[in-house]
Amino acid sequence: MTTGEGTPEILHYTAFSADPAGGNPAGVVLDATGLDDTDMLAVTARLGYSESVFLTPPPEGLGEPGRAFTVRYFSPVAEVPFCGHATVAAAVALGERTGPGDLVFATRAGEVPVSVTERDGALRATLTSVEPYVEEAAAGDVAEALAALDWPVADLDPALPPRIAFAGARHLVLAAGSRERLADLDYDFERLRSLMLRLDLTTVQLVWRESGTVFHVRDPFPVGGVVEDPATGAAAAAFGAYARALGLVPEPSVLTLHQGEDLGRPAELTVELRAGDPRVHVSGTGTRM
């Protein structure tokens, strides 16, 4: 899809909110044929969103025509292997054009199936992560992250220990002991960025547990050139893997993650863990801005 001048059309969608003023905005290019890496990075930098998404034809045999795509994600400063909110944004944009149904995205992290459904006139996308893993976080790395955040160890929730979790991208999970601790975020951008580059992290997933299945989260994203991501689907998927691996929730479970409230862009992410399925399913609404 191109404009009259022959340049790709750039759509603006927000994900994990039905309100254009909420959720996480993304640039969506449904036909990025002809754009190279420099072009895609330039588009994303110009838009200033935490990520934008670019679709091109799929690898041969991936799926039915019009329902399968090669997908790449860029932050304003670099390509990222997987982005959940831009996946939801692209899926909703496609659903508006081709109707609800199943899609499959070939990403750098692997194949990501996405299902688009409609209810009461609103579209909702559910992505299925690649197979996740959770690993120990070195004590020295945790100490460095806390120093960059200016968070005392005593402010952490001991019931949710630090871990590195992956479901398409790597995230360091740190749990605050109170909502007030989570709300007070004023970190050393360069110090945290340096640590994240060394550990190949996409965000730091800061979380506070409100109840058994309800969590509030924030995601610093300095490696993407962004202070904070308003809604982070990749981190939500990684957190689902974390919650399951640590036995924090039963399987199956449906978790609700609230994000963006402290930025004035409230978002709601639904994380589903299914019995017998190691992957994580993340869903949310989206709308054109």
Side-chain angles (χ1 to χ4, degrees):
M1 187 179 301
T2 60
T3 66
E5 292 75 28
T7 57
E9 181 180 11
I10 303 169
L11 307 174
H12 301 253
Y13 276 77
T14 193
F16 299 113
S17 174
D19 182 352
N24 196 356
V28 178
V29 179
L30 296 180
D31 181 4
T33 304
L35 296 185
D36 62 17
D37 293 15
T38 301
D39 296 328
M40 288 185 268
L41 185 60
V43 167
T44 309
R46 185 170 70 250
L47 293 176
Y49 300 145
S50 57
E51 279 110 350
S52 290
V53 58
F54 302 85
L55 280 61
T56 54
E60 186 174 353
L62 179 63
E64 69 175 274
R67 290 283 174 181
F69 303 88
T70 296
V71 179
R72 298 178 68 184
Y73 310 93
F74 283 79
S75 78
V77 298
E79 186 172 8
V80 295
F82 177 67
C83 172
H85 90 270
T87 296
V88 168
V92 169
L94 289 167
E96 289 179 349
R97 287 152 181 79
T98 61
D102 294 331
L103 306 164
V104 60
F105 290 170
T107 78
R108 278 181 51 199
E111 292 183 9
V112 176
V114 188
S115 176
V116 180
T117 58
E118 183 176 2
R119 181 174 181 181
D120 298 329
L123 293 177
R124 185 176 184 86
T126 300
L127 66 88
T128 299
S129 77
V130 299
E131 189 159 340
Y133 65 77
V134 177
E135 63 185 36
E136 294 284 340
D141 294 333
V142 173
E144 177 63 12
L146 293 176
L149 293 167
D150 195 22
W151 280 22
V153 173
D155 285 357
L156 296 181
D157 183 349
L160 279 70
R163 293 289 189 274
I164 291 175
F166 169 91
R170 286 165 56 86
H171 307 266
L172 173 61
V173 180
L174 296 174
S178 68
R179 184 67 180 89
E180 292 74 21
R181 173 72 278 174
L182 185 69
D184 185 11
L185 182 61
D186 182 16
Y187 68 92
D188 186 325
F189 188 94
E190 288 301 329
R191 187 172 183 176
L192 188 60
R193 177 178 177 272
S194 295
L195 173 68
M196 293 172 67
L197 287 172
R198 179 166 62 80
L199 299 179
D200 189 28
L201 301 176
T202 297
T203 75
V204 176
Q205 172 86 324
L206 305 175
V207 56
W208 173 70
R209 189 174 195 171
E210 177 183 319
S211 68
T213 58
V214 178
F215 300 83
H216 294 252
V217 298
R218 301 185 73 173
D219 282 80
F221 186 33
V223 294
V226 177
V227 172
E228 184 177 353
D229 208 17
T232 317
F239 181 74
Y242 165 93
R244 176 168 51 200
L246 272 67
L248 301 178
V249 296
E251 191 176 45
S253 285
V254 177
L255 314 180
T256 300
L257 274 57
H258 296 286
Q259 191 173 353
E261 293 174 346
D262 298 294
L263 295 175
R265 295 197 65 92
E268 183 174 296
L269 301 83
T270 301
V271 176
E272 184 180 1
L273 305 173
R274 301 175 184 173
D277 185 352
R279 302 169 301 175
V280 182
H281 309 267
V282 178
S283 63
T285 56
T287 190
R288 191 164 184 171
M289 299 170 64

